[in-house]
Amino acid sequence: LCSQQRALVVSYQLLLVLTASCRVFPKVVDMADVPAGYVNGCGHEFDPKEAEKSGKLTKDDPIQEHYKKGGFFGSITGAFGDKKTMYCHHMTTDCEPAVRAAKRQNIDCKTAEEVWNVIGRKPCCGRFAYDSKSGKLKCGAVVKKDHDNTCNGDTCLFVASGLDCPVPTWAHK
């Protein structure tokens, strides 16, 4: 590595340490702040390797653009696997993007209950994060002002159906 590349690697490692130290004490969320009838992180696991192998969500899938970080540091951290927030409700239990699953099944959701039926899980406002024990993405709680707003008509079946997204706005950066 040249000196500039080493400096970038050291800067990135420092960024990881600082980020990890900031997350030791997450921003506490009162359960009253979570939408009624929802859990804040259901523990559902999503296996990106399995999704890639099955073809349900490949690395070159156009939907991946919604989860790429922008800017100079985004391109650096993205090279190490850092992505924008993917919410639990973006993927079905079968590891397929929910919007795509509804279109494939020719389902036009009119209610939140119909959306959750397509997704195949109970209502959750959590987000996926890497779980080092399993090597998969695992749904965990959202915290205040810490997550990207990646819900749109391509990623979020609620938005695509003209419904309110279940992620509380206080969770967005």
Side-chain angles (χ1 to χ4, degrees):
L1 294 175
C2 72
S3 61
Q4 288 178 329
Q5 289 170 323
R6 279 194 296 274
L8 282 175
V9 169
V10 170
S11 296
Y12 178 71
Q13 289 171 334
L14 178 60
L15 178 65
L16 289 177
V17 169
L18 291 173
T19 302
S21 67
C22 291
R23 294 179 193 267
V24 171
F25 301 104
K27 300 153 189 116
V28 178
V29 174
D30 185 337
M31 284 308 289
D33 293 339
V34 175
Y38 281 72
V39 294
N40 188 4
C42 65
H44 175 72
E45 290 185 332
F46 169 67
D47 187 348
K49 290 178 186 172
E50 180 59 35
E52 175 79 30
K53 191 169 26 171
S54 71
K56 290 182 181 178
L57 186 66
T58 60
K59 290 178 183 174
D60 62 348
D61 191 306
I63 201 168
Q64 297 281 12
E65 288 299 315
H66 297 286
Y67 303 108
K68 286 186 178 176
K69 292 198 172 189
F72 176 72
F73 283 111
S75 63
I76 294 170
T77 59
F80 291 94
D82 190 24
K83 306 273 187 216
K84 287 184 178 180
T85 308
M86 177 186 281
Y87 293 97
C88 183
H89 68 274
H90 288 183
M91 304 300 290
T92 67
T93 300
D94 296 330
C95 301
E96 183 177 8
V99 174
R100 188 175 299 156
K103 285 181 183 175
R104 182 180 51 73
Q105 297 173 51
N106 202 25
I107 296 173
D108 184 21
C109 298
K110 301 290 184 206
T111 67
E113 184 178 313
E114 290 174 349
V115 171
W116 287 110
N117 285 338
V118 171
I119 293 169
R121 288 191 297 282
K122 292 183 179 178
C124 175
C125 63
R127 88 305 180 242
F128 287 115
Y130 182 73
D131 178 46
S132 60
K133 290 180 185 175
S134 67
K136 299 176 183 177
L137 299 178
K138 188 172 183 175
C139 178
V142 293
V143 296
K144 292 184 178 183
K145 299 187 182 291
D146 198 43
H147 309 288
D148 304 289
N149 184 2
T150 53
C151 294
N152 59 58
D154 294 327
T155 61
C156 176
L157 187 52
F158 289 92
V159 174
S161 301
L163 302 168
D164 290 335
C165 176
V167 177
T169 55
W170 51 254
H172 298 147
K173 294 177 184 174

